[in-house]
Amino acid sequence: MTDEELKEQVVLALKGVYDPEIPVDVYELGLIYDIKIFPVNNVYILMTLTSPSCPSAGSIPAEIEEKVRAIDGVSDVSVELTFDPPYSTELMSEVAKLELGFM
């Protein structure tokens, strides 16, 4: 599998992770800032949460790591949480904005 194909599989896995308080997946919400594929299929994900006091701060990154690690061929997964830049609804995809009534 090429790096680009693996990245597509990672995005599909991310679309299966939801913030328990919001009925939209973390990818469409704009919580994923970066996905990098390093040699030997090591995956790095830089993400944020809707707020630093999000009650799901422990569970969402752990679920992301679990779902990405389950992809065939992935060697290792690193999920880094950041709040710089802070989350904003501007980061949401059009799909998320429609789902949540922002459009």
Side-chain angles (χ1 to χ4, degrees):
M1 173 178 337
T2 67
D3 286 357
E4 195 56 41
E5 290 170 330
L6 179 53
K7 193 171 184 177
E8 288 174 18
Q9 290 296 311
V10 169
V11 169
L12 286 174
L14 293 172
K15 288 185 174 198
V17 178
Y18 290 80
D19 183 317
E21 299 174 339
I22 305 169
V24 177
D25 68 76
V26 296
Y27 188 80
E28 297 295 342
L29 273 176
L31 299 180
I32 306 302
Y33 286 168
D34 196 13
I35 301 168
K36 291 183 179 161
I37 310 297
F38 291 110
V40 200
N41 294 338
N42 292 318
V43 179
Y44 168 81
I45 298 169
L46 180 63
M47 67 167 296
T48 193
L49 297 170
T50 54
S51 80
S53 60
C54 177
S56 301
S59 63
I60 292 175
E63 185 178 353
I64 286 173
E65 181 177 343
E66 178 186 320
K67 291 203 180 223
V68 172
R69 195 174 293 281
I71 299 170
D72 276 346
V74 168
S75 298
D76 195 22
V77 180
S78 174
V79 179
E80 182 180 347
L81 194 57
T82 186
F83 294 100
D84 186 30
Y87 179 76
S88 155
T89 55
E90 312 258 323
L91 299 170
M92 286 192 283
S93 70
E94 287 189 16
V95 170
K97 288 177 182 175
L98 281 170
E99 181 73 28
L100 297 173
F102 284 87
M103 292 180 72

